[in-house]
Amino acid sequence: MKPPPTFLPARRGRVRISFSVLLRLADDDRFVLFDAPKRPGAFGPPGGVIKFFPPAARILDALGFQPERTGSPHHKLRADLRGTLPAGALRRFRTWFATGAYRETADECLRRELHEELAEVGVHHLDRIVPELEFTNVRTVQEGPQSVPGKHYRQLRGFDVRELAMTNHAARRLSRELIEVAEDEAYPGVLLAGFDDIAHGRLDRALIAPQSAFLAGPSRLAPDLPPLR
């Protein structure tokens, strides 16, 4: 019997898209990573998928956008810029996305995600300083469109990497306290990982999500970890 193929032929009909913002928070040569609930046992940078606002729904519907649904609570996925598009609509989608109209900015996305994630990792007391945070751009990485091993679609993804603008007390406090928490065993949802750990994909028992590599450079070092569904 012939073994099953490693790659499924990509259908030219649809392209999966996903656009995210990641926060780079460094302590010398180590980076703060948070527990990733969708990938149990794995840690990745704070941040997440950009959301669109209600006026964009008609635009995306006209492009044939179909949102992705996974095992996460539905309210957390609502209005995520993650789903599939007809391949022929990709250029128009990119044009719309580049305008920034009717969607979160990178900073808005990070503030919303931090509100959620700080509570998830047990440091909800820092939530009140999130509105004061400002961020600066580190790099933007775009992958694809390209075939995905084992999937019937091609994929286009964007990662906007930001870091705290250390211009006020809130930014300095968040940085200082998250680094302290990452070294405290009482907070298992936060850790510090160096580039060697990221390249290896593991720190002790914790898996390191591959997008963590974008904190240090523009290249991915490992394939994705599958999420819960």
Side-chain angles (χ1 to χ4, degrees):
M1 180 181 295
K2 294 175 64 176
T6 303
F7 292 85
L8 296 176
R11 293 185 300 188
R12 298 185 64 83
R14 298 195 71 82
V15 177
R16 181 182 183 269
I17 61 165
S18 177
F19 287 81
S20 304
V21 186
L22 310 177
L23 176 62
R24 185 175 79 171
L25 206 167
D27 177 37
D28 195 12
D29 61 347
R30 298 181 299 169
F31 302 99
V32 171
L33 303 180
F34 283 1
D35 179 45
K38 285 181 61 179
R39 293 170 173 82
F43 287 71
V49 177
I50 293 171
K51 289 187 179 291
F52 60 87
F53 301 132
R58 292 179 62 183
I59 297 171
L60 293 170
D61 283 347
L63 293 175
F65 175 72
Q66 293 181 358
E68 184 172 290
R69 297 287 179 249
T70 67
S72 296
H74 180 72
H75 71 277
K76 287 193 173 185
L77 298 174
R78 187 177 295 126
D80 277 1
L81 272 177
R82 178 168 51 200
T84 64
L85 281 169
L90 196 54
R91 179 176 295 181
R92 285 175 290 157
F93 171 82
R94 283 172 144 169
T95 299
W96 167 76
F97 184 85
T99 69
Y102 308 135
R103 66 168 177 85
E104 290 178 321
T105 65
D107 287 11
E108 289 170 338
C109 176
L110 269 184
R111 292 190 192 100
R112 174 182 53 77
E113 289 286 348
L114 282 171
H115 274 298
E116 299 174 5
E117 294 177 358
L118 290 172
E120 290 172 351
V121 299
V123 287
H124 53 81
H125 64 280
L126 293 173
D127 178 77
R128 62 180 178 271
I129 67 174
V130 169
E132 303 174 48
L133 300 175
E134 299 290 340
F135 307 92
T136 59
N137 182 63
V138 176
R139 68 178 57 86
T140 299
V141 179
Q142 189 167 110
E143 298 182 315
Q146 59 194 16
S147 297
V148 181
K151 301 296 183 181
H152 284 293
Y153 53 71
R154 291 181 298 149
Q155 183 166 252
L156 170 69
R157 290 190 294 186
F159 298 89
D160 195 347
V161 183
R162 315 283 282 182
E163 62 185 3
L164 288 169
M166 294 297 184
T167 56
N168 59 25
H169 174 72
R172 293 188 291 272
R173 180 184 173 190
L174 184 75
S175 177
R176 181 183 68 252
E177 293 199 23
L178 284 181
I179 289 169
E180 291 173 354
V181 160
E183 296 182 314
D184 187 339
E185 293 183 357
Y187 295 90
V190 189
L191 59 75
L192 284 167
F195 181 75
D196 287 347
D197 303 316
I198 293 171
H200 180 58
R202 181 182 286 277
L203 175 60
D204 297 327
R205 293 183 177 275
L207 294 171
I208 306 298
Q211 70 269 24
S212 305
F214 298 139
L215 302 180
S219 300
R220 176 182 292 273
L221 303 177
D224 278 332
L225 299 173
L228 292 175
R229 63 178 184 180

Short mmCIF file of all heavy atoms in Angstrom, two decimals, residues 5 17 20-21 23 152 179 184 189 198 207 215-216:
data_model
loop_
_atom_site.label_atom_id
_atom_site.label_comp_id
_atom_site.label_asym_id
_atom_site.label_seq_id
_atom_site.Cartn_x
_atom_site.Cartn_y
_atom_site.Cartn_z
N PRO A 5 0.16 10.84 0.97
CA PRO A 5 1.03 11.95 0.60
C PRO A 5 1.23 12.91 1.75
O PRO A 5 0.34 13.12 2.57
CB PRO A 5 0.27 12.62 -0.56
CG PRO A 5 -1.16 12.25 -0.33
CD PRO A 5 -1.13 10.87 0.27
N ILE A 17 -6.42 33.55 5.27
CA ILE A 17 -5.72 34.76 5.67
C ILE A 17 -5.75 34.90 7.19
O ILE A 17 -6.69 34.44 7.85
CB ILE A 17 -6.33 36.02 5.02
CG1 ILE A 17 -7.79 36.18 5.45
CG2 ILE A 17 -6.20 35.98 3.51
CD1 ILE A 17 -8.36 37.55 5.16
N SER A 20 -2.07 39.40 12.43
CA SER A 20 -1.90 39.47 13.88
C SER A 20 -0.90 40.54 14.28
O SER A 20 -0.11 41.01 13.47
CB SER A 20 -1.41 38.11 14.42
OG SER A 20 -2.26 37.06 14.04
N VAL A 21 -0.94 40.88 15.57
CA VAL A 21 0.02 41.80 16.17
C VAL A 21 0.66 41.09 17.35
O VAL A 21 -0.03 40.46 18.16
CB VAL A 21 -0.65 43.11 16.63
CG1 VAL A 21 0.40 44.10 17.12
CG2 VAL A 21 -1.47 43.73 15.51
N LEU A 23 3.57 41.42 20.63
CA LEU A 23 4.30 42.35 21.49
C LEU A 23 5.67 41.76 21.83
O LEU A 23 5.75 40.66 22.39
CB LEU A 23 3.53 42.63 22.78
CG LEU A 23 4.24 43.52 23.80
CD1 LEU A 23 4.50 44.92 23.23
CD2 LEU A 23 3.43 43.62 25.09
N HIS A 152 -5.75 21.88 2.08
CA HIS A 152 -6.21 22.06 0.71
C HIS A 152 -6.24 23.53 0.30
O HIS A 152 -6.96 23.89 -0.63
CB HIS A 152 -7.61 21.46 0.54
CG HIS A 152 -7.63 19.97 0.46
ND1 HIS A 152 -7.09 19.26 -0.60
CD2 HIS A 152 -8.11 19.04 1.32
CE1 HIS A 152 -7.26 17.97 -0.40
NE2 HIS A 152 -7.87 17.80 0.75
N ILE A 179 8.42 40.96 33.65
CA ILE A 179 9.71 40.25 33.74
C ILE A 179 9.85 39.60 35.11
O ILE A 179 10.30 38.44 35.23
CB ILE A 179 10.87 41.23 33.46
CG1 ILE A 179 10.86 41.61 31.96
CG2 ILE A 179 12.21 40.61 33.84
CD1 ILE A 179 11.77 42.77 31.62
N ASP A 184 8.89 34.06 38.42
CA ASP A 184 8.24 33.64 39.65
C ASP A 184 7.42 32.38 39.37
O ASP A 184 6.49 32.39 38.55
CB ASP A 184 7.33 34.76 40.15
CG ASP A 184 6.73 34.48 41.52
OD1 ASP A 184 6.68 33.30 41.93
OD2 ASP A 184 6.29 35.45 42.18
N GLY A 189 1.91 30.88 33.89
CA GLY A 189 1.46 31.30 32.57
C GLY A 189 2.36 32.30 31.88
O GLY A 189 2.05 32.75 30.77
N ILE A 198 13.79 29.52 21.59
CA ILE A 198 12.82 29.69 20.51
C ILE A 198 13.21 28.84 19.31
O ILE A 198 12.37 28.18 18.69
CB ILE A 198 12.71 31.18 20.13
CG1 ILE A 198 12.09 31.97 21.30
CG2 ILE A 198 11.90 31.37 18.86
CD1 ILE A 198 12.13 33.47 21.12
N LEU A 207 6.41 24.14 25.32
CA LEU A 207 6.64 24.32 23.90
C LEU A 207 6.65 25.82 23.59
O LEU A 207 5.94 26.60 24.23
CB LEU A 207 5.54 23.64 23.08
CG LEU A 207 5.47 22.12 23.15
CD1 LEU A 207 4.20 21.62 22.48
CD2 LEU A 207 6.70 21.50 22.51
N LEU A 215 10.00 37.78 17.03
CA LEU A 215 10.47 38.76 18.01
C LEU A 215 11.93 39.10 17.78
O LEU A 215 12.39 40.20 18.08
CB LEU A 215 10.28 38.22 19.43
CG LEU A 215 8.86 37.84 19.84
CD1 LEU A 215 8.85 37.31 21.27
CD2 LEU A 215 7.90 39.00 19.68
N ALA A 216 12.68 38.13 17.23
CA ALA A 216 14.12 38.30 17.05
C ALA A 216 14.52 38.59 15.62
O ALA A 216 15.61 39.11 15.37
CB ALA A 216 14.85 37.05 17.54
#
